[in-house]
Amino acid sequence: MTTTDPRENGERQGIQSVETAMRVLLALESGGGALSLSAIAQASGMQPSKVHRYLVSLGRIGLTSQDPASGLYDFGAAMRRLGAEALRRTNEVAVASGHAMQLRDRTGHSVNLAVWGDRGPIVVSWAYGTRPLPLTVRVGATLPLLTSSVGQVFLAHLPESLTGEVLGGELRGKESDWTSERLAATRTQVRKEGHAVTHSGVIPGIISVAAPVFAANDPLPLAVSVVLPESLGTPDHLAEVTRELHSTVAAASHELGHLA
């Protein structure tokens, strides 16, 4: 008698009940808070009686819990511990860098990733595209807060208690034409549009578009930026690049556990 290895059919055999339980947990996640049995059943596409049996089992091992007063279901203590440990093991820069590389491959333009340091935005990765640029950016370089798209992202999303010293230094220098009204308008625009754009802000002839990547329970964002020659920055192409950037940071933020 011979047996067939399920891997020979191109698919590993799994346990369907585990996959079904995951549907229940994902339905609970999609609600953004405690849900009723009927709401979980609707979100998972399953009958309430079947969902209830899974919730009982999941509750026994602490992955879900039920409020005695309201009857609503939510994640349990074991699920919260698992989530916290998963986040602890996540390398945010590595995750964001992976998405940034994919953005470079899709657009053909150079892409960089920056984090906030004690003296401003610091470039932690730079992936050159197929379009030549008249600049070389060193990993570890600090970018200006006001005239770089990455800097404006941090300016818009970080509290002034973090950016104040760096901002004050730049305002005392050549960027002294930045009035309080202009600063406020820039912050508002970046938050509203979800990205910052600079034309020849740091290097003449260069357009840079940057957007934030957020992680769960971390108030400090990362910033991804696409850099392209001004000659290629037609309105249509710039809009296309910006859409790709938004898609990238949304995917990276989602992987890092951020709820938009």
Side-chain angles (χ1 to χ4, degrees):
M1 180 178 179
T2 60
T3 59
T4 301
D5 189 332
R7 288 173 291 184
E8 294 178 359
N9 297 324
E11 184 176 348
R12 293 181 183 270
Q13 190 174 16
I15 301 175
Q16 187 175 6
S17 59
V18 174
E19 297 170 2
T20 303
M22 191 62 188
R23 286 174 57 188
V24 175
L25 293 174
L26 290 174
L28 193 55
E29 178 204 14
S30 68
L35 295 176
S36 65
L37 174 62
S38 60
I40 298 172
Q42 182 178 8
S44 64
M46 297 160 55
Q47 291 296 320
S49 58
K50 183 176 182 179
V51 170
H52 181 261
R53 292 196 298 272
Y54 276 91
L55 286 170
V56 170
S57 293
L58 291 168
R60 286 174 180 167
I61 58 177
L63 293 180
T64 63
S65 62
Q66 184 180 25
D67 186 290
S70 67
L72 298 180
Y73 293 89
D74 207 342
F75 289 135
M79 176 61 77
R80 289 191 289 272
R81 290 196 300 271
L82 287 172
E85 180 61 15
L87 289 173
R88 187 189 69 80
R89 298 184 185 188
T90 299
N91 185 325
E92 298 172 1
V93 171
V95 169
S97 294
H99 286 276
M101 290 292 288
Q102 295 174 24
L103 176 62
R104 186 276 307 272
D105 294 341
R106 291 198 306 272
T107 64
H109 295 303
S110 297
V111 175
N112 69 70
L113 175 68
V115 301
W116 181 256
D118 58 353
R119 290 179 292 178
I122 300 174
V123 176
V124 293
S125 72
W126 182 282
Y128 283 97
T130 58
R131 278 78 169 186
L133 294 173
L135 79 162
T136 300
V137 176
R138 177 179 56 84
V139 171
T142 300
L143 298 175
L145 190 63
L146 293 174
T147 57
S148 71
S149 62
V150 164
Q152 290 183 12
V153 165
F154 286 112
L155 180 69
H157 292 283
L158 291 183
E160 293 185 32
S161 58
L162 288 180
T163 61
E165 184 176 350
V166 176
L167 177 60
E170 292 191 13
L171 289 175
R172 288 190 294 270
K174 61 181 180 181
E175 287 84 14
S176 58
D177 59 329
W178 280 74
T179 63
S180 58
E181 291 78 14
R182 184 180 178 185
L183 285 170
T186 298
R187 289 189 177 101
T188 299
Q189 183 176 7
V190 173
R191 291 169 186 161
K192 179 180 178 181
E193 297 183 354
H195 65 270
V197 184
T198 56
H199 295 256
S200 300
V202 179
I203 303 294
I206 293 297
I207 299 176
S208 178
V209 190
V213 172
F214 295 99
N217 302 320
D218 191 345
L220 297 179
L222 307 173
V224 176
S225 98
V226 184
V227 182
L228 60 152
E230 189 93 46
S231 59
L232 298 179
T234 63
D236 288 345
H237 184 63
L238 195 56
E240 179 184 353
V241 168
T242 302
R243 284 193 297 269
E244 290 287 351
L245 174 62
H246 276 264
S247 175
T248 295
V249 297
S253 297
H254 180 75
E255 185 172 345
L256 291 171
H258 177 69
L259 297 177

Short mmCIF file of all heavy atoms in Angstrom, two decimals, residues 165-209:
data_model
loop_
_atom_site.label_atom_id
_atom_site.label_comp_id
_atom_site.label_asym_id
_atom_site.label_seq_id
_atom_site.Cartn_x
_atom_site.Cartn_y
_atom_site.Cartn_z
N GLU A 165 14.49 71.85 19.21
CA GLU A 165 15.89 72.28 19.21
C GLU A 165 16.46 72.31 17.79
O GLU A 165 17.14 73.27 17.40
CB GLU A 165 16.72 71.34 20.08
CG GLU A 165 18.18 71.77 20.20
CD GLU A 165 18.97 70.88 21.15
OE1 GLU A 165 18.34 70.05 21.85
OE2 GLU A 165 20.21 71.01 21.18
N VAL A 166 16.16 71.27 17.01
CA VAL A 166 16.64 71.22 15.62
C VAL A 166 16.00 72.34 14.80
O VAL A 166 16.67 73.04 14.03
CB VAL A 166 16.34 69.85 14.98
CG1 VAL A 166 16.75 69.83 13.51
CG2 VAL A 166 17.04 68.74 15.75
N LEU A 167 14.71 72.51 14.99
CA LEU A 167 13.99 73.56 14.26
C LEU A 167 14.54 74.94 14.61
O LEU A 167 14.76 75.78 13.72
CB LEU A 167 12.50 73.49 14.59
CG LEU A 167 11.60 74.55 13.95
CD1 LEU A 167 11.67 74.47 12.44
CD2 LEU A 167 10.17 74.38 14.44
N GLY A 168 14.81 75.16 15.87
CA GLY A 168 15.33 76.46 16.28
C GLY A 168 16.67 76.75 15.64
O GLY A 168 16.94 77.89 15.20
N GLY A 169 17.52 75.73 15.53
CA GLY A 169 18.82 75.92 14.90
C GLY A 169 18.70 76.28 13.44
O GLY A 169 19.44 77.14 12.94
N GLU A 170 17.75 75.64 12.73
CA GLU A 170 17.58 75.95 11.31
C GLU A 170 16.95 77.32 11.11
O GLU A 170 17.28 78.04 10.16
CB GLU A 170 16.74 74.86 10.64
CG GLU A 170 17.45 73.52 10.55
CD GLU A 170 16.73 72.52 9.67
OE1 GLU A 170 15.82 72.93 8.92
OE2 GLU A 170 17.07 71.31 9.72
N LEU A 171 16.04 77.68 12.00
CA LEU A 171 15.39 78.99 11.88
C LEU A 171 16.38 80.12 12.12
O LEU A 171 16.21 81.23 11.58
CB LEU A 171 14.23 79.10 12.87
CG LEU A 171 12.99 78.25 12.56
CD1 LEU A 171 11.98 78.36 13.68
CD2 LEU A 171 12.37 78.65 11.23
N ARG A 172 17.41 79.86 12.89
CA ARG A 172 18.42 80.88 13.13
C ARG A 172 19.42 80.98 11.97
O ARG A 172 20.21 81.91 11.90
CB ARG A 172 19.19 80.58 14.42
CG ARG A 172 18.38 80.82 15.68
CD ARG A 172 19.24 80.74 16.93
NE ARG A 172 19.76 79.39 17.14
CZ ARG A 172 19.14 78.45 17.84
NH1 ARG A 172 17.96 78.72 18.38
NH2 ARG A 172 19.69 77.26 18.00
N GLY A 173 19.35 80.02 11.06
CA GLY A 173 20.26 80.00 9.93
C GLY A 173 19.63 80.53 8.66
O GLY A 173 18.83 81.46 8.68
N LYS A 174 19.94 79.88 7.56
CA LYS A 174 19.52 80.39 6.26
C LYS A 174 18.03 80.23 6.00
O LYS A 174 17.49 80.85 5.07
CB LYS A 174 20.28 79.67 5.16
CG LYS A 174 20.06 78.16 5.11
CD LYS A 174 20.88 77.52 4.01
CE LYS A 174 20.66 76.01 3.96
NZ LYS A 174 21.47 75.37 2.89
N GLU A 175 17.33 79.39 6.81
CA GLU A 175 15.90 79.20 6.61
C GLU A 175 15.09 80.18 7.44
O GLU A 175 13.96 79.91 7.81
CB GLU A 175 15.50 77.76 6.95
CG GLU A 175 15.95 76.72 5.94
CD GLU A 175 17.38 76.29 6.21
OE1 GLU A 175 17.90 76.60 7.30
OE2 GLU A 175 17.99 75.67 5.32
N SER A 176 15.65 81.34 7.75
CA SER A 176 14.98 82.30 8.62
C SER A 176 13.72 82.89 8.01
O SER A 176 12.95 83.55 8.69
CB SER A 176 15.94 83.44 8.99
OG SER A 176 16.43 84.08 7.83
N ASP A 177 13.49 82.66 6.70
CA ASP A 177 12.27 83.16 6.07
C ASP A 177 11.06 82.28 6.38
O ASP A 177 9.95 82.56 5.93
CB ASP A 177 12.45 83.27 4.55
CG ASP A 177 12.80 81.94 3.91
OD1 ASP A 177 13.45 81.12 4.58
OD2 ASP A 177 12.42 81.73 2.74
N TRP A 178 11.27 81.23 7.17
CA TRP A 178 10.17 80.38 7.58
C TRP A 178 9.45 81.03 8.76
O TRP A 178 9.87 80.94 9.90
CB TRP A 178 10.67 78.98 7.96
CG TRP A 178 10.94 78.10 6.78
CD1 TRP A 178 11.98 78.18 5.91
CD2 TRP A 178 10.11 77.02 6.34
NE1 TRP A 178 11.88 77.21 4.95
CE2 TRP A 178 10.74 76.47 5.18
CE3 TRP A 178 8.93 76.44 6.78
CZ2 TRP A 178 10.20 75.39 4.49
CZ3 TRP A 178 8.41 75.37 6.10
CH2 TRP A 178 9.03 74.86 4.96
N THR A 179 8.33 81.66 8.47
CA THR A 179 7.54 82.31 9.51
C THR A 179 6.72 81.26 10.26
O THR A 179 6.58 80.12 9.82
CB THR A 179 6.59 83.34 8.90
OG1 THR A 179 5.66 82.66 8.03
CG2 THR A 179 7.36 84.38 8.09
N SER A 180 6.16 81.66 11.37
CA SER A 180 5.31 80.73 12.14
C SER A 180 4.09 80.32 11.33
O SER A 180 3.62 79.18 11.42
CB SER A 180 4.88 81.38 13.45
OG SER A 180 4.19 82.60 13.22
N GLU A 181 3.59 81.24 10.49
CA GLU A 181 2.45 80.93 9.63
C GLU A 181 2.83 79.87 8.59
O GLU A 181 2.05 78.95 8.31
CB GLU A 181 1.93 82.18 8.94
CG GLU A 181 1.25 83.19 9.85
CD GLU A 181 2.26 84.02 10.63
OE1 GLU A 181 3.47 83.99 10.29
OE2 GLU A 181 1.85 84.71 11.58
N ARG A 182 4.02 80.01 8.02
CA ARG A 182 4.47 79.04 7.02
C ARG A 182 4.70 77.67 7.65
O ARG A 182 4.37 76.64 7.05
CB ARG A 182 5.75 79.54 6.35
CG ARG A 182 6.24 78.64 5.21
CD ARG A 182 7.51 79.18 4.58
NE ARG A 182 7.99 78.30 3.53
CZ ARG A 182 9.14 78.46 2.88
NH1 ARG A 182 9.92 79.49 3.17
NH2 ARG A 182 9.51 77.60 1.95
N LEU A 183 5.26 77.65 8.85
CA LEU A 183 5.46 76.38 9.55
C LEU A 183 4.13 75.69 9.81
O LEU A 183 3.98 74.48 9.58
CB LEU A 183 6.18 76.62 10.87
CG LEU A 183 7.67 76.92 10.80
CD1 LEU A 183 8.18 77.37 12.17
CD2 LEU A 183 8.43 75.69 10.33
N ALA A 184 3.16 76.43 10.30
CA ALA A 184 1.85 75.86 10.60
C ALA A 184 1.18 75.34 9.34
O ALA A 184 0.57 74.26 9.34
CB ALA A 184 0.97 76.90 11.28
N ALA A 185 1.29 76.10 8.26
CA ALA A 185 0.68 75.69 7.00
C ALA A 185 1.34 74.41 6.46
O ALA A 185 0.66 73.53 5.93
CB ALA A 185 0.80 76.80 5.97
N THR A 186 2.66 74.31 6.61
CA THR A 186 3.37 73.12 6.14
C THR A 186 2.95 71.90 6.93
O THR A 186 2.68 70.84 6.36
CB THR A 186 4.90 73.32 6.27
OG1 THR A 186 5.30 74.42 5.45
CG2 THR A 186 5.65 72.07 5.84
N ARG A 187 2.89 72.02 8.25
CA ARG A 187 2.45 70.90 9.08
C ARG A 187 1.04 70.44 8.69
O ARG A 187 0.78 69.25 8.53
CB ARG A 187 2.47 71.29 10.56
CG ARG A 187 3.86 71.45 11.17
CD ARG A 187 3.74 71.61 12.68
NE ARG A 187 5.03 71.70 13.34
CZ ARG A 187 5.59 72.81 13.75
NH1 ARG A 187 4.97 73.99 13.55
NH2 ARG A 187 6.77 72.80 14.35
N THR A 188 0.15 71.40 8.52
CA THR A 188 -1.24 71.08 8.18
C THR A 188 -1.32 70.39 6.82
O THR A 188 -2.04 69.40 6.66
CB THR A 188 -2.09 72.36 8.17
OG1 THR A 188 -2.07 72.96 9.47
CG2 THR A 188 -3.53 72.05 7.78
N GLN A 189 -0.59 70.91 5.85
CA GLN A 189 -0.64 70.34 4.50
C GLN A 189 -0.10 68.91 4.47
O GLN A 189 -0.69 68.02 3.84
CB GLN A 189 0.15 71.21 3.53
CG GLN A 189 0.09 70.72 2.09
CD GLN A 189 0.81 71.66 1.14
OE1 GLN A 189 1.46 72.61 1.56
NE2 GLN A 189 0.69 71.40 -0.15
N VAL A 190 1.01 68.67 5.16
CA VAL A 190 1.61 67.33 5.16
C VAL A 190 0.68 66.33 5.84
O VAL A 190 0.48 65.21 5.35
CB VAL A 190 2.98 67.34 5.85
CG1 VAL A 190 3.52 65.92 6.02
CG2 VAL A 190 3.96 68.19 5.05
N ARG A 191 0.08 66.73 6.94
CA ARG A 191 -0.85 65.83 7.63
C ARG A 191 -2.08 65.56 6.77
O ARG A 191 -2.58 64.43 6.72
CB ARG A 191 -1.27 66.45 8.96
CG ARG A 191 -0.15 66.51 10.00
CD ARG A 191 -0.58 67.36 11.17
NE ARG A 191 0.51 67.57 12.13
CZ ARG A 191 0.53 68.54 13.02
NH1 ARG A 191 -0.48 69.42 13.08
NH2 ARG A 191 1.55 68.66 13.85
N LYS A 192 -2.58 66.58 6.10
CA LYS A 192 -3.79 66.43 5.29
C LYS A 192 -3.54 65.56 4.07
O LYS A 192 -4.34 64.66 3.76
CB LYS A 192 -4.29 67.81 4.85
CG LYS A 192 -5.54 67.76 3.98
CD LYS A 192 -5.96 69.17 3.57
CE LYS A 192 -7.19 69.12 2.64
NZ LYS A 192 -7.60 70.50 2.23
N GLU A 193 -2.43 65.79 3.36
CA GLU A 193 -2.17 65.07 2.12
C GLU A 193 -1.48 63.73 2.36
O GLU A 193 -1.46 62.87 1.48
CB GLU A 193 -1.33 65.94 1.19
CG GLU A 193 -2.03 67.22 0.76
CD GLU A 193 -1.21 68.03 -0.23
OE1 GLU A 193 -0.05 67.66 -0.48
OE2 GLU A 193 -1.75 69.04 -0.73
N GLY A 194 -0.88 63.56 3.53
CA GLY A 194 -0.22 62.31 3.85
C GLY A 194 1.19 62.20 3.32
O GLY A 194 1.83 61.14 3.44
N HIS A 195 1.72 63.27 2.76
CA HIS A 195 3.09 63.25 2.23
C HIS A 195 3.62 64.69 2.13
O HIS A 195 2.85 65.65 2.23
CB HIS A 195 3.15 62.59 0.85
CG HIS A 195 2.40 63.34 -0.21
ND1 HIS A 195 1.06 63.12 -0.48
CD2 HIS A 195 2.80 64.33 -1.07
CE1 HIS A 195 0.67 63.92 -1.45
NE2 HIS A 195 1.71 64.68 -1.83
N ALA A 196 4.91 64.79 1.93
CA ALA A 196 5.56 66.09 1.71
C ALA A 196 6.33 66.04 0.40
O ALA A 196 6.88 65.00 0.03
CB ALA A 196 6.51 66.41 2.86
N VAL A 197 6.35 67.16 -0.31
CA VAL A 197 7.07 67.25 -1.59
C VAL A 197 7.99 68.46 -1.54
O VAL A 197 7.57 69.55 -1.14
CB VAL A 197 6.10 67.41 -2.78
CG1 VAL A 197 6.88 67.41 -4.10
CG2 VAL A 197 5.06 66.32 -2.79
N THR A 198 9.23 68.26 -1.95
CA THR A 198 10.16 69.39 -2.07
C THR A 198 10.77 69.38 -3.46
O THR A 198 11.09 68.32 -4.01
CB THR A 198 11.28 69.33 -1.03
OG1 THR A 198 11.97 68.08 -1.12
CG2 THR A 198 10.72 69.50 0.37
N HIS A 199 10.91 70.57 -4.05
CA HIS A 199 11.55 70.76 -5.36
C HIS A 199 12.86 71.51 -5.13
O HIS A 199 12.85 72.65 -4.66
CB HIS A 199 10.64 71.55 -6.30
CG HIS A 199 9.37 70.84 -6.66
ND1 HIS A 199 9.17 70.23 -7.88
CD2 HIS A 199 8.23 70.64 -5.94
CE1 HIS A 199 7.97 69.69 -7.90
NE2 HIS A 199 7.37 69.93 -6.73
N SER A 200 13.98 70.85 -5.45
CA SER A 200 15.30 71.46 -5.26
C SER A 200 15.50 71.92 -3.82
O SER A 200 16.17 72.91 -3.57
CB SER A 200 15.50 72.63 -6.23
OG SER A 200 15.39 72.18 -7.58
N GLY A 201 14.90 71.18 -2.88
CA GLY A 201 14.99 71.59 -1.48
C GLY A 201 16.38 71.42 -0.90
O GLY A 201 16.87 72.30 -0.20
N VAL A 202 17.03 70.29 -1.19
CA VAL A 202 18.36 70.02 -0.69
C VAL A 202 19.38 70.09 -1.82
O VAL A 202 20.44 70.69 -1.68
CB VAL A 202 18.43 68.65 0.01
CG1 VAL A 202 19.84 68.34 0.51
CG2 VAL A 202 17.42 68.57 1.15
N ILE A 203 19.05 69.47 -2.95
CA ILE A 203 19.92 69.45 -4.13
C ILE A 203 19.18 70.06 -5.31
O ILE A 203 18.05 69.65 -5.59
CB ILE A 203 20.35 68.01 -4.48
CG1 ILE A 203 21.05 67.35 -3.30
CG2 ILE A 203 21.24 67.99 -5.71
CD1 ILE A 203 22.37 67.98 -2.93
N PRO A 204 19.75 71.03 -6.01
CA PRO A 204 19.08 71.61 -7.18
C PRO A 204 18.76 70.53 -8.22
O PRO A 204 19.54 69.61 -8.44
CB PRO A 204 20.12 72.60 -7.71
CG PRO A 204 20.96 72.94 -6.52
CD PRO A 204 21.04 71.68 -5.72
N GLY A 205 17.58 70.65 -8.83
CA GLY A 205 17.18 69.73 -9.89
C GLY A 205 16.61 68.41 -9.41
O GLY A 205 16.42 67.49 -10.20
N ILE A 206 16.32 68.31 -8.11
CA ILE A 206 15.83 67.07 -7.54
C ILE A 206 14.45 67.29 -6.90
O ILE A 206 14.23 68.27 -6.19
CB ILE A 206 16.80 66.53 -6.46
CG1 ILE A 206 18.11 66.11 -7.10
CG2 ILE A 206 16.19 65.36 -5.70
CD1 ILE A 206 17.98 64.98 -8.10
N ILE A 207 13.54 66.36 -7.16
CA ILE A 207 12.24 66.32 -6.48
C ILE A 207 12.27 65.17 -5.48
O ILE A 207 12.74 64.08 -5.80
CB ILE A 207 11.08 66.10 -7.47
CG1 ILE A 207 11.01 67.24 -8.48
CG2 ILE A 207 9.75 65.99 -6.72
CD1 ILE A 207 9.93 67.03 -9.54
N SER A 208 11.77 65.40 -4.30
CA SER A 208 11.69 64.36 -3.28
C SER A 208 10.28 64.34 -2.71
O SER A 208 9.72 65.38 -2.36
CB SER A 208 12.70 64.61 -2.16
OG SER A 208 12.60 63.64 -1.16
N VAL A 209 9.70 63.14 -2.64
CA VAL A 209 8.37 62.96 -2.05
C VAL A 209 8.51 61.97 -0.90
O VAL A 209 9.02 60.86 -1.09
CB VAL A 209 7.36 62.40 -3.08
CG1 VAL A 209 5.95 62.47 -2.52
CG2 VAL A 209 7.45 63.15 -4.40
#
